[in-house]
Amino acid sequence: METAYLKTPIGTAEFKGDTSGLISITVIDEKKPADIIPEVLEDAVYQLKEYFEGSRKQFDLKLNPQGTDFQKKVWSALLEVPYGKTVSYLELTKRLGDVKAIRAVAAANGKNPLWIVVPCHRIIGSNGDLTGYAGGLHRKKWLLDHESPIKQQSLF
């Protein structure tokens, strides 16, 4: 398995993967060298860089996340939530066909190993609150603001 790093506005992205695909992208607070990017991770690093620059709204990567069948089903449903949009945990659960599974869906969402590419940050509480985000709510807010079609402008 290969590893690469990318400095982003909200932390260092750590990529892990191999020829079978991208296994994980996580955010870490520590700074890591981003000099050497293994060939199997070049496209992932490039596409995430474009996302942060504002020129990419969809990813085209070979994904290979490790998890249970249920988790993979939830992560697949997350891929259906478009850039700039949010859905509630309840709505996501309804889309998966079992409203009683809301806690399990929320738990699977929290274990998403592919930061940003599988957009778990787009899932919010039914009342619109930003709830539960493994990377920290400040990052979730930043990502949603970054994707918002309405940009807050400074008065000064």
Side-chain angles (χ1 to χ4, degrees):
M1 177 167 352
E2 302 284 351
T3 303
Y5 299 94
L6 172 68
K7 183 181 175 206
T8 78
I10 53 175
T12 301
E14 180 182 70
F15 300 76
K16 291 188 178 185
D18 55 28
T19 55
S20 297
L22 194 57
I23 294 168
S24 70
I25 303 175
T26 55
V27 62
I28 58 176
D29 288 318
E30 60 191 278
K31 294 183 177 170
K32 293 278 190 171
D35 303 345
I36 301 169
I37 300 171
E39 186 177 343
V40 296
L41 297 174
E42 284 177 347
D43 202 29
V45 171
Y46 181 75
Q47 288 188 35
L48 198 66
K49 189 182 222 183
E50 288 180 323
Y51 168 86
F52 280 107
E53 291 169 348
S55 61
R56 178 170 292 275
K57 295 182 180 183
Q58 288 185 293
F59 296 93
D60 181 25
L61 297 166
K62 184 177 180 183
L63 306 179
N64 187 23
Q66 306 301 300
T68 67
D69 288 342
F70 179 78
Q71 288 171 331
K72 290 178 183 180
K73 182 179 174 183
V74 172
W75 301 335
S76 181
L78 293 174
L79 291 169
E80 311 264 328
V81 181
Y83 181 97
K85 303 287 184 190
T86 59
V87 300
S88 71
Y89 285 97
L90 181 60
E91 176 60 29
L92 180 62
T93 304
K94 286 178 182 177
R95 290 180 184 186
L96 290 164
D98 185 1
V99 294
K100 294 178 185 171
I102 193 164
R103 288 180 190 255
V105 168
N109 190 57
K111 294 201 182 292
N112 168 27
L114 290 163
W115 184 56
I116 299 174
V117 172
V118 176
C120 58
H121 61 280
R122 297 178 189 154
I123 310 304
I124 60 173
S126 294
N127 61 358
D129 284 351
L130 302 185
T131 59
Y133 188 64
L137 290 180
H138 68 288
R139 287 189 177 108
K140 183 172 189 166
K141 181 179 181 337
W142 192 97
L143 292 168
L144 293 175
D145 288 346
H146 176 69
E147 293 183 4
S148 175
I150 301 166
K151 301 292 182 198
Q152 178 68 37
Q153 299 199 358
S154 173
L155 296 175
F156 306 98

